[in-house]
Amino acid sequence: MARIVATVSGGLDSVVLAHHLVDQGHDLLMLSIDYGQRHRKEHEFAERTAVRLGADYEVVDLRNIATMLPGYSLTDSNVDVPDQHYTAPGSVNVVPNRNVILLSVAFGRAAAEKADKVAIGTVAGDDATAPDCSREFIDAFNAMERVATAGYAPAELQVIAPFIDVAKSEVINLGDRLGVRWAETWSCFNGYDVQCGLCAACQDRRLAFEKSDVSDPTEYRNG
């Protein structure tokens, strides 16, 4: 059994990741990182997951960092979340360098408690718009941390991304087998009480359910 620090937002992929790691018998610390995102409602669902799984859970308060990240729909209230799917790199829905920030915090926490691994729920295709979801990025980040924490963290401590080659629809199929409660996951980039159904994250969610063998129980504001 390994001690794993996982970044779990409350989104579909990260909630399945948490279930997967616990199913494998690992000792899990779930970190939800508040970087001032407009959809911080997702953390409610991460906490529910932690309670259900009996996992340790912490919220890291980095809300003030949003003021340093203007121009993106997730961190700038002056930028609307567009009702459209991702297109080319440069989408206002992507906060460049976000995973560098999130994983640096998670890795620091893991090093401090001598954990075995850090886990992130990146899935296949995420790197099409977000370069810091790519295998190249994960490899480079681990190389950097080997230097940054040499002598202060377990030599085997590294970031793992178990779903990096797995399509979101297949992640849903796995989660269904593990008993994930889909109504208790949050994908929407907006901060509504109900997921909008139109933003890029909602469209990705809906499409993935369509491609999976699982029916989508999500309530959407727009059909």
Side-chain angles (χ1 to χ4, degrees):
M1 180 176 68
R3 176 64 164 172
I4 299 182
V5 176
T7 59
V8 180
S9 64
L12 186 154
D13 305 323
S14 64
V15 168
V16 176
L17 174 68
H19 279 75
H20 172 65
L21 294 173
V22 169
D23 183 67
Q24 289 187 322
H26 299 305
D27 178 23
L28 186 62
L29 167 59
M30 294 169 47
L31 288 187
S32 290
I33 301 177
D34 188 340
Y35 57 94
Q37 65 269 46
R38 74 197 309 153
H39 60 305
R40 63 173 58 89
K41 180 182 178 67
E42 61 186 352
H43 294 163
E44 298 174 18
F45 299 92
E47 185 172 12
R48 292 183 198 178
T49 299
V51 171
R52 193 162 58 248
L53 294 176
D56 295 332
Y57 178 70
E58 298 175 6
V59 176
V60 181
D61 187 354
L62 298 180
R63 283 175 293 178
N64 289 341
I65 204 170
T67 62
M68 301 174 60
L69 302 168
Y72 309 113
S73 65
L74 304 190
T75 52
D76 188 338
S77 60
N78 294 314
V79 179
D80 292 333
V81 176
D83 291 341
Q84 63 184 45
H85 205 265
Y86 290 110
T87 52
S91 167
V92 295
N93 290 327
V94 175
V95 181
N97 217 47
R98 184 187 66 167
N99 281 347
V100 177
I101 297 168
L102 272 55
L103 286 176
S104 292
V105 171
F107 207 98
R109 184 71 174 88
E113 66 167 68
K114 309 302 181 187
D116 300 286
K117 295 287 185 293
V118 173
I120 188 171
T122 298
V123 304
D126 284 351
D127 58 345
T129 51
D132 60 357
C133 288
S134 65
R135 183 177 296 281
E136 180 183 16
F137 164 73
I138 297 294
D139 290 344
F141 186 90
N142 280 326
M144 179 270 292
E145 286 291 3
R146 281 194 293 273
V147 176
T149 62
Y152 293 93
E156 70 276 8
L157 178 60
Q158 63 177 331
V159 175
I160 60 172
F163 302 154
I164 199 165
D165 295 318
V166 182
K168 187 181 288 286
S169 59
E170 295 173 19
V171 170
I172 290 175
N173 288 330
L174 171 62
D176 204 55
R177 293 194 295 272
L178 295 174
V180 171
R181 298 179 183 178
W182 302 115
E184 296 186 7
T185 62
W186 186 271
S187 298
C188 186
F189 284 152
N190 287 292
Y192 305 137
D193 289 335
V194 176
Q195 304 192 64
C196 75
L198 296 176
C199 71
C202 281
Q203 291 191 48
D204 274 350
R205 181 189 181 98
R206 299 176 84 155
L207 181 61
F209 270 107
E210 289 174 10
K211 291 181 176 179
S212 73
D213 298 324
V214 181
S215 61
D216 185 359
T218 310
E219 178 184 359
Y220 297 106
R221 281 169 59 112
N222 296 278

